[in-house]
Amino acid sequence: MSRRPGSVAAIAVTAIASAIASLQGQEAAADPVRPANSPLVITRAWLPVASVTMAFPASARTYREDLVARASDRALLAAIRETTADQAAVINHYRDATGRYFVAAVAPEAAESVLRTMERAARTPLPARLVEGAVAGMRADFAFRGDLPRSRFDRVLDSRLRSESAAPDGADTAATTGFDGLADEVAATAPAARWGPPVWVLVDDEGATSAPAPPPPPLPVAGSAATAPSAPMSDQVPGDAVTRWVGSAYRFPAETTLVEACFLRMVLEESLESRRDPDLFEFDTEIDAFGRLVVRLSTSANASVSWEARLDEAIVQLGSEEGRFRLGQLLTSALSRWSRELAPATGAGRAAAEALLRGATDPQAAAFANSTATAPSAERLREVASGVTLVLRVVYGSS
């Protein structure tokens, strides 16, 4: 493919639509033997925009560690944007329950240069001015949002998911005093030294090619098949807001793959959000670093109990052959959405990085980034849903 200079922002407009159309016919190849500290290379046959992804694990075992990670990420993002300002690149930052991702959409001819620039930024202690700016920005955000009921709920739920002995409400005070010494702590160590070597993924239209290899074993959603407790942990946290927030964590059955877990998560969203209940204000799902399905929703106070039951019942219905949901139709919608997410180079790079953070081999990570071609069947999703169990529920708000 010829290289044409141009604005990443301009060519990105057409990248997603074009990439979706050709995604099913694209081939992904991972280097058979990847040298240490080099990126996993995923090759796409036609690609107007390349991507470079650097990812660190979530690493937040405590509330304080989460603050350090957030401040470090803000400063590192600013450092990367400064050092790539003269290159054809757009840098964004994302975080989820698995990791923290620095994703560059780049002109293909600039990919190698941007990769090296990001590597240097991660290995270098962060400039004090950028760290201080990051902490100041966080302090301002927390002054505005830190005492909001939604923020309190998130802190309590996150602490329960981390199995902390005490929830940080506690975190009401931590939200205002947890910044003491934060800038010095962040500036003391380079990000790559603090969080460990990051994982790297390069998605490009040029790279090593090889004969088709047999498909790798599927990546499990959880590293071990931990036994769920006989009864879920339940936590009612009183609050004075008329809105109620509910956080639920479900464990998948043993042998569930990451692809299956992701599709079940999307199918669950399709089955519930399509009802457009005016009492449902928010509905968010994710697969956390321990392989659990985490669902956060908010409702009016008088609808909370019914929505807790509706969520649990939806999972039961998805796992039942006599269930009221048309699982095949929901799966089609989920596959279309998954294709749109993985079609751009940035989406494929982030997906592969997530898999690597979860312990995937290179072939497994490449397969996950191209998993639209291997969507699970409705029968298999029904089997997975039938084994899903609730392990934690946190309810925050007025009773």
Side-chain angles (χ1 to χ4, degrees), residues 282-350:
E282 300 171 90
F283 189 89
D284 299 309
T285 68
E286 64 182 354
I287 310 298
D288 76 359
F290 300 101
R292 297 170 298 191
L293 171 64
V294 179
V295 181
R296 303 173 194 240
L297 60 86
S298 65
T299 71
S300 58
N302 60 358
S304 172
V305 173
S306 65
W307 261 101
E308 291 173 44
R310 190 177 299 181
L311 173 61
D312 294 338
E313 179 62 19
I315 293 176
V316 171
Q317 291 291 321
L318 290 172
S320 170
E321 292 187 5
E322 290 77 32
R324 66 176 182 272
F325 296 125
R326 296 181 179 179
L327 190 52
Q329 182 176 344
L330 295 174
L331 184 56
T332 298
S333 297
L335 179 59
S336 175
R337 172 179 159 189
W338 195 234
S339 297
R340 292 193 300 272
E341 291 183 13
L342 296 185
T346 51
R350 180 177 168 184

Side-chain angles (χ1 to χ4, degrees), residues 211-252:
L219 178 65
V221 68
S224 60
T227 302
S230 56
M233 179 189 300
S234 180
D235 196 358
Q236 298 273 343
V237 183
D240 56 5
V242 294
T243 298
R244 297 188 81 188
W245 287 264
V246 180
S248 306
Y250 299 86
R251 191 178 303 281
F252 292 100

